[in-house]
């Protein structure tokens, strides 16, 4: 039978949570400190929910064919990852992952080895995880008559709005930092050139140390808890129009903690 709307919503939430749990555990172990993963405030990663729910719907008729299941999982997961990266970059001017160092990558957004991992993961998920999850959802649907799906929609909807506000503030703050750093560097350059005119135009080299010495003077806006979480949990995060801020983000985090 096709999935009902409430089943799709609960599936989406369940795999968003499982994806968040996987990423949080894996990255915390890899980085040797606790990483609260996920783009939203809550404990869920919607990209996993969207991708896996779409895969389950698209593979409904081929789940007994391992090869087709792998191919569909490979394609759908790759497409989702590409457009998720594209959306973050174009809308929020942010890049959370970068596969530029991997063979065959496309604009650093997707790479064959990563897509291969997703394809194998989809087969394992459909064969071993989904039957257990579906049994639980069947019980939930019988007992709540779809009201859990309503609650999930409201909570995640509010979370999405709050996160978008927070991300926009993060983007504004990092751009302000860049503007203040550039102004500081220019002031230093003019000051030095005025004292040593015979040297000609000064080439500004290592500005990092000087900027951090004048941290309190330059600081345009404090980073919120969520902004610091972005920087700590996503070490490859790039704010594309705030390059100087990104160069000294580790030093800023040390000052902010």
């Amino acid at each position: 039978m096709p999935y009902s709307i409430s089943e799709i919503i609960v599936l989406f939430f369940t795999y968003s949570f499982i994806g968040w749990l996987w990423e949080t555990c894996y990255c915390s172990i890899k980085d040797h400190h606790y990483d609260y993963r996920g783009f939203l405030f809550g404990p869920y990663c919607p990209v996993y929910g969207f991708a896996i729910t779409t895969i389950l719907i698209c593979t409904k008729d081929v789940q007994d064919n391992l090869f087709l299941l792998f191919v569909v999982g490979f394609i759908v997961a790759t497409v989702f990852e590409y457009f998720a990266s594209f959306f973050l970059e174009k809308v929020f001017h942010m890049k959370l992952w970068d596969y530029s160092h991997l063979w065959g990558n496309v604009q650093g957004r997707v790479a064959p080895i990563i897509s291969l991992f997703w394809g194998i993961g989809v087969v394992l998920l459909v064969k071993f995880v989904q039957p257990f999850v579906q049994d639980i959802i069947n019980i939930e649907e019988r007992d709540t008559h779809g009201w859990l799906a309503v609650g999930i929609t409201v909570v995640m909807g509010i979370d999405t709005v709050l996160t978008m506000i927070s991300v926009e503030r993060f983007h504004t703050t990092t751009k302000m930092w860049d503007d203040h750093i550039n102004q500081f560097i220019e002031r230093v350059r003019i000051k030095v050139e005025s004292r040593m005119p015979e040297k000609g135009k000064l080439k500004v080299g290592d500005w990092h140390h000087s900027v951090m010495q004048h941290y309190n003077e330059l600081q345009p806006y404090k980073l919120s808890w969520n902004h610091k979480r972005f920087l700590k949990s996503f070490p490859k995060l790039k704010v594309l129009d705030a390059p100087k801020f990104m160069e000294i983000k580790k030093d800023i985090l040390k000052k902010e903690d």
Side-chain angles (χ1 to χ4, degrees), residues 128-152:
F128 299 105
V129 179
Q130 175 56 18
F132 172 73
V133 170
Q134 190 61 49
D135 286 342
I136 294 176
I137 290 177
N138 290 340
I139 295 171
E140 173 275 319
E141 285 287 293
R142 184 194 66 202
D143 293 343
T144 70
H145 305 289
W147 281 105
L148 178 60
V150 174
I152 289 170

Side-chain angles (χ1 to χ4, degrees), residues 95 97-111 114 236 238:
K95 206 168 188 178
W97 61 87
D98 188 355
Y99 300 142
S100 297
H101 61 291
L102 297 178
W103 175 84
N105 74 87
V106 179
Q107 299 173 351
R109 305 182 195 280
V110 294
I114 303 297
K236 294 185 179 179
K238 296 178 183 176

Side-chain angles (χ1 to χ4, degrees), residues 4-212:
S4 67
I5 296 297
S6 60
E7 276 185 296
I8 290 173
I9 292 172
V10 177
L11 275 171
F12 164 74
F13 174 79
T14 301
Y15 284 111
S16 294
F17 172 73
I18 291 174
W20 173 86
L21 194 63
W22 152 254
E23 281 214 4
T24 297
C25 292
Y26 172 75
C27 292
S28 295
I29 293 171
K30 179 173 68 71
D31 297 336
H32 306 293
H33 63 80
Y34 177 66
D35 277 340
Y36 186 93
R37 300 292 288 186
F39 194 62
L40 301 181
F41 284 100
Y44 29 70
C45 292
V47 67
Y48 285 93
F50 277 121
I52 294 174
T53 302
T54 302
I55 287 166
L56 290 173
I57 294 171
C58 292
T59 61
K60 192 73 173 170
D61 298 325
V62 299
Q63 290 184 1
D64 292 329
N65 187 317
L66 290 182
F67 177 73
L68 286 178
L69 182 59
F70 170 81
V71 170
V72 174
F74 182 99
I75 293 172
V76 173
T78 302
V79 170
F80 260 99
E81 190 167 36
Y82 181 90
F83 281 104
S85 172
F86 183 85
F87 176 81
L88 286 171
E89 183 175 327
K90 298 304 178 184
V91 176
F92 295 117
H93 309 283
M94 295 171 64
K95 206 168 188 178
L96 295 188
W97 61 87
D98 188 355
Y99 300 142
S100 297
H101 61 291
L102 297 178
W103 175 84
N105 74 87
V106 179
Q107 299 173 351
R109 305 182 195 280
V110 294
I113 188 65
I114 303 297
S115 297
L116 181 65
F117 166 80
W118 293 131
I120 295 171
V122 165
V123 173
L124 296 175
L125 179 139
V126 169
K127 290 300 181 183
F128 299 105
V129 179
Q130 175 56 18
F132 172 73
V133 170
Q134 190 61 49
D135 286 342
I136 294 176
I137 290 177
N138 290 340
I139 295 171
E140 173 275 319
E141 285 287 293
R142 184 194 66 202
D143 293 343
T144 70
H145 305 289
W147 281 105
L148 178 60
V150 174
I152 289 170
T153 303
V154 170
V155 170
M156 293 192 75
I158 293 172
D159 193 340
T160 300
V161 172
L162 293 176
T163 299
M164 290 180 70
I165 293 171
S166 179
V167 170
E168 183 58 34
R169 287 179 179 171
F170 177 65
H171 181 222
T172 301
T173 300
T174 55
K175 284 188 68 177
M176 287 172 64
W177 260 105
D178 243 48
D179 290 341
H180 283 227
I181 291 170
N182 285 326
Q183 290 168 15
F184 173 79
I185 292 173
E186 183 63 14
R187 287 199 305 271
V188 171
R189 185 186 66 79
I190 292 173
K191 188 174 181 180
V192 172
E193 286 182 358
S194 67
R195 292 179 178 178
M196 297 185 299
E198 70 281 358
K199 294 289 187 180
K201 190 171 182 180
L202 175 71
K203 290 184 178 179
V204 179
D206 183 13
W207 49 268
H208 304 75
H209 182 66
S210 295
V211 165
M212 295 314 298

